[in-house]
Amino acid sequence: MGAYLVSVGAEEWFGEEEDEWGEVASALNAELRQRGLPPYEDVPPETEFAAGSGQAFEEKLSLSMTGFFALCETHLTHEESEVLCGWTVLVPIPLDEEIWLPIDSGYYESTMVVGAPQVLPLAEKLATAIGLPAETPATCDNLDLSTWFRNQAKELVSTRTGLWSRDLDAAFYVALFLRAAQHSIRRGCPIVSA
């Protein structure tokens, strides 16, 4: 099956059903208040799906991450790598550091929350380092990045070589975390690993 990164609307974020995120939302707001920060409550509602609209985010983490982790080791500190790709929940608010919540997130016994404003410059640094092509999809409504890297990227490699083209799996993950941070900030919504 594999893990997915998906955007979450207000109904699911504040919902109390088994697969919803209300417990995380409440715990995060309690932690933010303890730090003297305003709660994160301005979550947009989920919108009707429209391909290419940029209103939703959904991508699957199914490719090998070996090359991506090597790229992170080369260009980022260990702490920066953890912030970039170790999160369970990405929120559009600035955080000085990651927030660990003692809530089972499905794959882990705790939930790590990071701010998209901290993730974005790290992803941009990697995108610049590998020369991520401008043709990389800007929206990821329905596995758009996965589809692009599986098809169009392989065609583009023949005419547009560079570091990005040497390891398409690594380039995919650079694009994935870049677009996730951009989407979270642009839409003001959380993105979760589910």
Side-chain angles (χ1 to χ4, degrees), residues 126-136 149 164 171-172 174-175 178-179:
L126 293 183
T128 299
I130 66 169
L132 191 69
E135 291 88 345
T136 306
F149 272 93
W164 78 275
F172 166 78
V174 170
L178 176 66
R179 298 302 187 227

Side-chain angles (χ1 to χ4, degrees), residues 114-174:
V114 300
Q118 284 69 41
V119 168
L120 183 58
L122 302 174
E124 288 173 336
K125 184 176 183 178
L126 293 183
T128 299
I130 66 169
L132 191 69
E135 291 88 345
T136 306
T139 60
C140 307
D141 298 283
N142 185 19
L143 306 177
D144 295 336
L145 277 179
S146 299
T147 302
W148 189 83
F149 272 93
R150 198 169 40 248
N151 300 310
Q152 292 92 332
K154 291 181 179 176
E155 297 170 12
L156 191 61
V157 163
S158 62
T159 58
R160 181 90 51 81
T161 58
L163 286 178
W164 78 275
S165 65
R166 294 182 191 162
D167 185 342
L168 290 181
D169 290 356
F172 166 78
Y173 285 109
V174 170

Side-chain angles (χ1 to χ4, degrees), residues 8-63:
V8 174
E11 301 84 356
E12 189 176 344
W13 180 248
F14 296 112
E16 296 297 332
E17 298 296 321
E18 184 178 340
D19 291 336
E20 295 179 325
W21 293 85
E23 185 181 7
V24 169
S26 295
L28 174 61
N29 283 342
E31 187 65 34
L32 291 172
R33 286 185 188 98
Q34 279 190 331
R35 296 172 184 223
L37 298 170
Y40 172 49
E41 296 175 335
D42 192 20
V43 180
E46 191 168 329
T47 59
E48 197 70 35
F49 176 76
S53 70
Q55 297 299 301
F57 188 97
E58 179 184 2
E59 285 294 339
K60 186 174 184 179
L61 286 72
S62 59
L63 303 173

